[in-house]
Amino acid sequence: MNTRDTHTHVPRPSDNRSWLRDHSELGVSVMLFALGVLVLTDALTMDVDIAQRGPIGPTTVPIVVGIGLLVIAALLAFDVMRGGRGEAEGGEDIDLSEPSDWRTVLLLAGVFLVFAILINPIGFPVSGTLLFWGAAYALGSRHFQRDPLIAAVLSVVTYYLFNNLLGVPLPGGPLMGVL
């Protein structure tokens, strides 16, 4: 009698790649789990003044969001392991045979980088205008009279909403006394 187990399957590298390809949504699950842990850690280590404590304090929403992320990550992982797969959107008209538009990606990355550099020295209203206008340009809009005006209105309205209505201070820059 042969003592070797003939039913043992040694996985080949191509088998591992195939399994990973078939279960790629697990990466999303891992990312959601890590994000949930990060949100919960930040919420639970938040320094809260005793006067701010109560049934609904500044940590309530982050804790609920963190728990929600952990639950969704677990449910997604369970579904993927049972063979579930995400379906492509029916309305998407993406031609996967076309190459990526790296010019647009790099322009948008540059616009965001410039915004991050300029937000403190020149303030949100001006840097936000450049952000919105630059993003519109990078995405293909070429209305050189209309786009800067729309960008300026969006930026000032966003600044006003965050700064005055929501109480989230944004740097005003040179327009601090005007807005």
Side-chain angles (χ1 to χ4, degrees):
M1 175 154 212
N2 188 357
T3 58
R4 271 182 51 199
D5 186 8
T6 58
H7 298 289
T8 304
H9 175 71
V10 177
R12 291 175 292 201
S14 63
D15 291 343
N16 290 337
R17 278 188 245 129
S18 175
W19 188 89
L20 287 174
R21 190 176 307 113
D22 291 341
H23 297 88
S24 61
E25 284 106 347
L26 286 176
V28 175
S29 181
V30 168
M31 183 205 58
L32 289 173
F33 182 81
L35 190 60
V37 168
L38 177 68
V39 169
L40 279 175
T41 302
D42 279 351
L44 294 174
T45 59
M46 188 183 297
D47 187 26
V48 179
D49 186 19
I50 192 74
Q52 292 178 331
R53 291 190 182 160
I56 298 182
T59 60
T60 304
V61 172
I63 289 173
V64 169
V65 169
I67 291 171
L69 285 167
L70 293 177
V71 168
I72 289 171
L75 290 173
L76 178 62
F78 182 72
D79 182 54
V80 170
M81 294 307 290
R82 291 189 58 215
R85 293 188 57 100
E87 295 181 22
E89 293 285 329
E92 290 185 16
D93 58 348
I94 297 173
D95 185 4
L96 295 176
S97 64
E98 289 292 318
S100 298
D101 184 6
W102 288 107
R103 179 183 179 274
T104 301
V105 171
L106 292 175
L107 278 172
L108 281 173
V111 166
F112 283 114
L113 181 64
V114 167
F115 171 74
I117 292 169
L118 293 179
I119 190 168
N120 280 329
I122 66 174
F124 183 86
V126 177
S127 62
T129 299
L130 295 174
L131 170 71
F132 294 136
W133 187 17
Y137 181 83
L139 294 172
S141 181
R142 299 296 185 261
H143 298 278
F144 295 112
Q145 289 81 29
R146 182 186 67 188
D147 288 347
L149 295 174
I150 292 172
V153 169
L154 275 173
S155 183
V156 170
V157 167
T158 303
Y159 175 79
Y160 180 79
L161 287 173
F162 274 82
N163 205 50
N164 297 338
L165 295 180
L166 296 175
V168 177
L170 295 174
L175 299 177
M176 190 66 137
V178 178
L179 298 177

